[in-house]
Structures are given as C-alpha cells and as structure tokens.
Amino acid sequence: MVFRIKSYFLLVVTSIIVVNICCYNGVVSTGSEKSMVGKIVYAVNAGGLGYTDSDGITYQPDPSTNGISSDYGKRFWTIGRVDPEDSILYQTERYSQSTFGYDIEIKDDGDYVLVMKFAEVYFLNPNKKVFDIRLNDMHNIVEQLDIFSEVGHGVAHDEVIPFKISANGRKLKIKGEESTIKNNKIRLEFIKGALDNPKINAFYVIKGTEFDVPKLPIFEPPSSVAQNSDRKYENLIELPDDDEEDEMGFTNYQDGEPVETAQEQKRKRRLIRQPPFKSINDIEEDDWLPVIQVGGSLVFAMVVAFIVKKFI
C-alpha cells in the first residue's frame, strides 16, 4: 500500500514537471526577450546607472562626461506610459549647454533602428525646450523636438528612427539620404538650439526593423496642460503630518518653470506610492497565463497518474 502511494505521488510530481516545461517553452515564454537581447547593438541609460528593462534590454551606465547628468526626474514616483519599474530610464538624463553626443560602433551590414527615450520633467509649458537631433554628422533625424508639446509633463516619449548599413559597414542610409561612416562609428548628436538645452534620457540601437522594437502605449492627451502638470502626484497618497506647519508651501511657477519651496520638499518626502490595484475587469489575457499553466498542469498530471496506475 505504501509503495503504491509513493509511486502515485512520484507520477504526479513527474507529470507536473514535464507539463510545466512544455508550457514554459510553448506558452508562457515566447522567446522574444532572448531574441531582443541578442539584437541589441548599443544601449545607454543617459545620466544613470546600468539597468535591464522589462523587455530584456540591458543599458550600460552613461559613459559620457560631456554636459551634465541629472536625476531630477526622480521626483516623480512613476513616468506616464511606461512600466513603473522602467521609469528610471526616463528619470535620469544627460543635458548640455552646447551640442553633445555619443559614438555608436556598428560593424555589420543590415537594417537597424535607433530608439531614443525622452520625458519632460522640468518645464510645464511648450516652446521651452526645443532642439534637433543629428546622426552621422549630416542627417537631421529629428527636427524641433519639443517633448512637452508631444506628450506633456512627466510622460514618456520615444523617437524611433530606422536606418540601413551597407558596403561592409561604410555606408549609412536613412530617409533617402546616404553618408559615409568613419571607423565603424556613427555619431549621435543632440543639437543646441535657441530654446534651452538639448537632452537625452536613454537610447539604444537594435539590429532589426521597427517591428522588433517594443512600442509605448498609445498616448491619450489630457484635456488641458494643467491636468498634465499634475501627473507628478499621480499614484501618490499623502501620510498624516506629525509636524505642525503654518502653511503647506506648494510649488510656485515662474514662466512655466517649477520653483520648489522647502516646505514642499519636506511634504514630498512624506508621500508614498499607492499600489496599482487591478479590478477583475482590468486583468489582461497575459495575466491569466500563470494560473492556466499551474491549473492545467495539475489536472493533466492527475489524469496521467490515474491512467498509469490503472493500466500499468
């Protein structure tokens, strides 16, 4: 009797392991992350430390010493349109009071995509920070970029630029234009304009096409800029104040630029993040995969064990 119980238990455990392996390889894991990591040519978390995002892209720490690195965006708990864990890619940045850039080494011919990540975390109005972006010293790949005009305040914005390398890594073709690559390095530059300083939060180059690039959710503009400027308090709750203050000390704004008071800095330190609870109606299809996997494997294992016990 004891031997039969042990045998039945062993069959169940073995079946569960086999089914989970099959489900993991065939259903839960699509292999996209491993494929994505293999295609990445160069990735930098500008102004910040190394980081691997939710898509499996590993960003190296910022190697540049030009301009100024800043983590001013960390005053936001999260950045709009992105996974909260990936907000860090939009919270740190590098900017400069003059044109600056990065050298990207590419040796192989093929199709590539440059993805640049931005978030306006300082200005609260459009036409405050506007700049161009240039590739390989001659291609103006983005002109008059005004991040606030694109998405508002504290919201992620990606610029996706496809290009092609040919002639054994010596020619770059983009938007119908062609240029010569020197020493297998492409220069990515953020051009100083008349309106404030150019910046970049993070960027990467992937070997592939735009279909291989993870996309941000579709942006739904707020009804007013005022609503957008309140995003820095989104998903926050305020704890009771143990200290007595005569006034709260909210942020003042001068020409659309935030000026924080000492009282507000103290108030922000008392803020904690509100958990992003989901209702049953908000659960997406992918959220059910682990449940289906575990439940299905358990039922299948019991069926297999019963058949083996019955007929073998």
Short mmCIF file of all heavy atoms in Angstrom, two decimals, residues 66-101:
data_model
loop_
_atom_site.label_atom_id
_atom_site.label_comp_id
_atom_site.label_asym_id
_atom_site.label_seq_id
_atom_site.Cartn_x
_atom_site.Cartn_y
_atom_site.Cartn_z
N ASN A 66 30.48 64.57 -21.16
CA ASN A 66 30.07 65.87 -21.70
C ASN A 66 28.76 66.33 -21.06
O ASN A 66 27.88 65.52 -20.80
CB ASN A 66 29.89 65.78 -23.23
CG ASN A 66 31.18 65.46 -23.94
OD1 ASN A 66 32.24 65.93 -23.54
ND2 ASN A 66 31.10 64.67 -25.00
N GLY A 67 28.66 67.62 -20.85
CA GLY A 67 27.42 68.14 -20.29
C GLY A 67 27.23 67.77 -18.83
O GLY A 67 28.19 67.56 -18.08
N ILE A 68 25.97 67.61 -18.45
CA ILE A 68 25.60 67.40 -17.04
C ILE A 68 24.65 66.22 -16.93
O ILE A 68 23.67 66.13 -17.67
CB ILE A 68 24.92 68.65 -16.47
CG1 ILE A 68 25.88 69.86 -16.59
CG2 ILE A 68 24.50 68.43 -15.02
CD1 ILE A 68 25.21 71.19 -16.29
N SER A 69 24.93 65.30 -16.01
CA SER A 69 24.00 64.21 -15.73
C SER A 69 23.05 64.65 -14.61
O SER A 69 23.46 65.36 -13.68
CB SER A 69 24.75 62.94 -15.31
OG SER A 69 25.50 63.17 -14.14
N SER A 70 21.80 64.24 -14.72
CA SER A 70 20.80 64.70 -13.76
C SER A 70 19.81 63.58 -13.46
O SER A 70 19.46 62.79 -14.33
CB SER A 70 20.04 65.91 -14.33
OG SER A 70 18.92 66.24 -13.53
N ASP A 71 19.37 63.53 -12.19
CA ASP A 71 18.29 62.61 -11.81
C ASP A 71 17.09 63.40 -11.29
O ASP A 71 16.33 62.93 -10.44
CB ASP A 71 18.77 61.60 -10.78
CG ASP A 71 19.20 62.24 -9.47
OD1 ASP A 71 19.22 63.50 -9.38
OD2 ASP A 71 19.53 61.50 -8.52
N TYR A 72 16.91 64.61 -11.84
CA TYR A 72 15.81 65.47 -11.40
C TYR A 72 14.46 64.78 -11.58
O TYR A 72 13.52 65.01 -10.83
CB TYR A 72 15.84 66.77 -12.21
CG TYR A 72 14.86 67.82 -11.74
CD1 TYR A 72 15.11 68.58 -10.60
CD2 TYR A 72 13.68 68.07 -12.44
CE1 TYR A 72 14.21 69.54 -10.16
CE2 TYR A 72 12.77 69.03 -12.02
CZ TYR A 72 13.05 69.76 -10.88
OH TYR A 72 12.15 70.70 -10.45
N GLY A 73 14.38 63.89 -12.57
CA GLY A 73 13.12 63.19 -12.82
C GLY A 73 12.72 62.23 -11.71
O GLY A 73 11.58 61.74 -11.70
N LYS A 74 13.60 61.94 -10.78
CA LYS A 74 13.27 61.03 -9.69
C LYS A 74 12.28 61.64 -8.70
O LYS A 74 11.79 60.94 -7.81
CB LYS A 74 14.53 60.59 -8.95
CG LYS A 74 15.38 59.61 -9.74
CD LYS A 74 16.57 59.10 -8.93
CE LYS A 74 17.36 58.05 -9.70
NZ LYS A 74 18.52 57.55 -8.93
N ARG A 75 11.96 62.91 -8.86
CA ARG A 75 10.91 63.49 -8.01
C ARG A 75 9.54 62.96 -8.42
O ARG A 75 8.56 63.12 -7.70
CB ARG A 75 10.93 65.01 -8.10
CG ARG A 75 10.51 65.56 -9.45
CD ARG A 75 10.93 67.01 -9.61
NE ARG A 75 10.46 67.54 -10.89
CZ ARG A 75 9.40 68.32 -11.02
NH1 ARG A 75 8.69 68.67 -9.96
NH2 ARG A 75 9.03 68.77 -12.19
N PHE A 76 9.46 62.33 -9.60
CA PHE A 76 8.27 61.60 -9.99
C PHE A 76 8.37 60.18 -9.45
O PHE A 76 9.41 59.54 -9.57
CB PHE A 76 8.15 61.50 -11.52
CG PHE A 76 7.90 62.81 -12.20
CD1 PHE A 76 8.94 63.69 -12.44
CD2 PHE A 76 6.63 63.15 -12.62
CE1 PHE A 76 8.71 64.89 -13.09
CE2 PHE A 76 6.39 64.35 -13.26
CZ PHE A 76 7.44 65.22 -13.49
N TRP A 77 7.27 59.69 -8.88
CA TRP A 77 7.27 58.28 -8.47
C TRP A 77 7.28 57.38 -9.69
O TRP A 77 7.97 56.37 -9.73
CB TRP A 77 6.05 57.98 -7.60
CG TRP A 77 6.20 58.49 -6.20
CD1 TRP A 77 5.56 59.55 -5.64
CD2 TRP A 77 7.06 57.97 -5.19
NE1 TRP A 77 5.96 59.73 -4.34
CE2 TRP A 77 6.88 58.78 -4.03
CE3 TRP A 77 7.97 56.91 -5.14
CZ2 TRP A 77 7.58 58.54 -2.84
CZ3 TRP A 77 8.66 56.68 -3.96
CH2 TRP A 77 8.46 57.49 -2.84
N THR A 78 6.50 57.73 -10.68
CA THR A 78 6.47 56.99 -11.94
C THR A 78 6.36 57.96 -13.10
O THR A 78 5.93 59.10 -12.94
CB THR A 78 5.30 55.99 -12.02
OG1 THR A 78 4.07 56.71 -11.90
CG2 THR A 78 5.39 54.95 -10.91
N ILE A 79 6.76 57.48 -14.28
CA ILE A 79 6.63 58.25 -15.50
C ILE A 79 5.46 57.66 -16.31
O ILE A 79 5.32 56.44 -16.41
CB ILE A 79 7.92 58.18 -16.33
CG1 ILE A 79 9.09 58.80 -15.55
CG2 ILE A 79 7.75 58.89 -17.67
CD1 ILE A 79 8.97 60.28 -15.29
N GLY A 80 4.64 58.53 -16.87
CA GLY A 80 3.48 58.06 -17.62
C GLY A 80 3.84 57.24 -18.84
O GLY A 80 4.88 57.45 -19.46
N ARG A 81 3.00 56.26 -19.18
CA ARG A 81 3.09 55.40 -20.37
C ARG A 81 4.08 54.25 -20.24
O ARG A 81 4.24 53.49 -21.18
CB ARG A 81 3.46 56.20 -21.63
CG ARG A 81 2.46 57.23 -22.08
CD ARG A 81 2.95 57.94 -23.30
NE ARG A 81 2.77 57.15 -24.52
CZ ARG A 81 3.31 57.47 -25.68
NH1 ARG A 81 4.09 58.52 -25.79
NH2 ARG A 81 3.10 56.72 -26.75
N VAL A 82 4.78 54.11 -19.13
CA VAL A 82 5.76 53.03 -19.02
C VAL A 82 5.53 52.20 -17.76
O VAL A 82 4.89 52.65 -16.81
CB VAL A 82 7.21 53.56 -19.00
CG1 VAL A 82 7.56 54.23 -20.29
CG2 VAL A 82 7.44 54.51 -17.83
N ASP A 83 6.05 50.98 -17.78
CA ASP A 83 6.05 50.13 -16.60
C ASP A 83 6.75 50.89 -15.47
O ASP A 83 7.82 51.46 -15.67
CB ASP A 83 6.82 48.84 -16.92
CG ASP A 83 6.76 47.81 -15.81
OD1 ASP A 83 6.97 48.21 -14.63
OD2 ASP A 83 6.54 46.63 -16.09
N PRO A 84 6.14 50.94 -14.28
CA PRO A 84 6.76 51.68 -13.17
C PRO A 84 8.21 51.30 -12.93
O PRO A 84 9.03 52.15 -12.58
CB PRO A 84 5.88 51.31 -11.97
CG PRO A 84 4.54 51.02 -12.57
CD PRO A 84 4.83 50.37 -13.89
N GLU A 85 8.54 50.01 -13.12
CA GLU A 85 9.92 49.57 -12.90
C GLU A 85 10.87 50.19 -13.92
O GLU A 85 12.06 50.34 -13.65
CB GLU A 85 9.99 48.04 -12.98
CG GLU A 85 9.21 47.32 -11.89
CD GLU A 85 9.72 47.65 -10.50
OE1 GLU A 85 10.95 47.82 -10.35
OE2 GLU A 85 8.91 47.75 -9.56
N ASP A 86 10.36 50.53 -15.11
CA ASP A 86 11.20 51.10 -16.16
C ASP A 86 11.23 52.62 -16.14
O ASP A 86 11.87 53.24 -17.00
CB ASP A 86 10.72 50.62 -17.54
CG ASP A 86 10.97 49.13 -17.74
OD1 ASP A 86 11.81 48.57 -17.03
OD2 ASP A 86 10.30 48.54 -18.62
N SER A 87 10.57 53.23 -15.18
CA SER A 87 10.54 54.69 -15.09
C SER A 87 11.93 55.28 -14.98
O SER A 87 12.18 56.41 -15.42
CB SER A 87 9.68 55.14 -13.90
OG SER A 87 8.31 54.88 -14.13
N ILE A 88 12.85 54.53 -14.39
CA ILE A 88 14.21 55.03 -14.17
C ILE A 88 14.86 55.45 -15.47
O ILE A 88 15.70 56.37 -15.50
CB ILE A 88 15.08 53.96 -13.46
CG1 ILE A 88 16.43 54.54 -13.05
CG2 ILE A 88 15.24 52.73 -14.32
CD1 ILE A 88 16.35 55.65 -12.03
N LEU A 89 14.48 54.82 -16.58
CA LEU A 89 15.07 55.16 -17.88
C LEU A 89 14.67 56.57 -18.31
O LEU A 89 15.33 57.18 -19.17
CB LEU A 89 14.64 54.16 -18.94
CG LEU A 89 15.18 52.73 -18.77
CD1 LEU A 89 14.53 51.80 -19.79
CD2 LEU A 89 16.69 52.71 -18.90
N TYR A 90 13.58 57.08 -17.76
CA TYR A 90 13.10 58.41 -18.11
C TYR A 90 13.31 59.42 -16.97
O TYR A 90 13.01 60.60 -17.13
CB TYR A 90 11.61 58.36 -18.46
CG TYR A 90 11.30 57.48 -19.66
CD1 TYR A 90 11.07 56.12 -19.50
CD2 TYR A 90 11.24 58.02 -20.93
CE1 TYR A 90 10.79 55.31 -20.60
CE2 TYR A 90 10.95 57.22 -22.03
CZ TYR A 90 10.73 55.87 -21.85
OH TYR A 90 10.45 55.06 -22.94
N GLN A 91 13.81 58.94 -15.85
CA GLN A 91 14.02 59.82 -14.69
C GLN A 91 15.43 60.41 -14.65
O GLN A 91 15.65 61.46 -14.06
CB GLN A 91 13.74 59.05 -13.40
CG GLN A 91 12.26 58.73 -13.21
CD GLN A 91 12.03 57.79 -12.04
OE1 GLN A 91 12.83 56.90 -11.78
NE2 GLN A 91 10.92 57.96 -11.34
N THR A 92 16.38 59.71 -15.24
CA THR A 92 17.74 60.26 -15.33
C THR A 92 17.97 60.76 -16.75
O THR A 92 17.34 60.29 -17.69
CB THR A 92 18.79 59.19 -14.97
OG1 THR A 92 18.72 58.11 -15.91
CG2 THR A 92 18.57 58.67 -13.56
N GLU A 93 18.88 61.68 -16.89
CA GLU A 93 19.13 62.26 -18.21
C GLU A 93 20.51 62.89 -18.26
O GLU A 93 21.17 63.09 -17.24
CB GLU A 93 18.09 63.33 -18.52
CG GLU A 93 18.15 64.53 -17.60
CD GLU A 93 17.07 65.56 -17.91
OE1 GLU A 93 15.87 65.23 -17.80
OE2 GLU A 93 17.44 66.70 -18.27
N ARG A 94 20.93 63.18 -19.48
CA ARG A 94 22.13 63.99 -19.71
C ARG A 94 21.72 65.17 -20.59
O ARG A 94 21.03 64.99 -21.60
CB ARG A 94 23.24 63.19 -20.38
CG ARG A 94 24.52 64.04 -20.62
CD ARG A 94 25.71 63.18 -20.97
NE ARG A 94 26.08 62.33 -19.84
CZ ARG A 94 26.81 62.72 -18.79
NH1 ARG A 94 27.24 63.98 -18.71
NH2 ARG A 94 27.10 61.87 -17.83
N TYR A 95 22.12 66.36 -20.17
CA TYR A 95 21.86 67.55 -20.97
C TYR A 95 23.13 68.38 -21.02
O TYR A 95 24.10 68.14 -20.28
CB TYR A 95 20.69 68.36 -20.40
CG TYR A 95 20.97 69.04 -19.07
CD1 TYR A 95 21.48 70.34 -19.02
CD2 TYR A 95 20.72 68.39 -17.87
CE1 TYR A 95 21.73 70.97 -17.80
CE2 TYR A 95 20.97 69.00 -16.65
CZ TYR A 95 21.47 70.29 -16.63
OH TYR A 95 21.72 70.90 -15.42
N SER A 96 23.14 69.36 -21.91
CA SER A 96 24.33 70.19 -22.05
C SER A 96 23.95 71.57 -22.55
O SER A 96 22.93 71.74 -23.24
CB SER A 96 25.33 69.54 -23.02
OG SER A 96 26.46 70.37 -23.20
N GLN A 97 24.76 72.53 -22.20
CA GLN A 97 24.53 73.90 -22.67
C GLN A 97 25.11 74.12 -24.06
O GLN A 97 25.07 75.22 -24.59
CB GLN A 97 25.14 74.88 -21.67
CG GLN A 97 24.48 74.83 -20.30
CD GLN A 97 25.11 75.76 -19.29
OE1 GLN A 97 26.20 76.28 -19.51
NE2 GLN A 97 24.42 75.99 -18.19
N SER A 98 25.63 73.03 -24.63
CA SER A 98 26.11 73.07 -26.01
C SER A 98 25.80 71.71 -26.65
O SER A 98 25.33 70.79 -25.98
CB SER A 98 27.61 73.35 -26.06
OG SER A 98 28.33 72.35 -25.36
N THR A 99 26.06 71.59 -27.93
CA THR A 99 25.81 70.33 -28.63
C THR A 99 26.68 69.22 -28.03
O THR A 99 27.86 69.42 -27.75
CB THR A 99 26.12 70.49 -30.12
OG1 THR A 99 25.21 71.45 -30.68
CG2 THR A 99 25.98 69.18 -30.86
N PHE A 100 26.08 68.04 -27.83
CA PHE A 100 26.84 66.90 -27.31
C PHE A 100 26.31 65.63 -27.95
O PHE A 100 25.30 65.65 -28.65
CB PHE A 100 26.70 66.82 -25.79
CG PHE A 100 25.36 66.32 -25.31
CD1 PHE A 100 25.19 65.00 -24.88
CD2 PHE A 100 24.24 67.16 -25.29
CE1 PHE A 100 23.96 64.54 -24.44
CE2 PHE A 100 23.00 66.70 -24.85
CZ PHE A 100 22.86 65.39 -24.44
N GLY A 101 27.02 64.51 -27.72
CA GLY A 101 26.56 63.29 -28.34
C GLY A 101 27.32 62.05 -27.93
O GLY A 101 28.13 62.08 -26.98
#
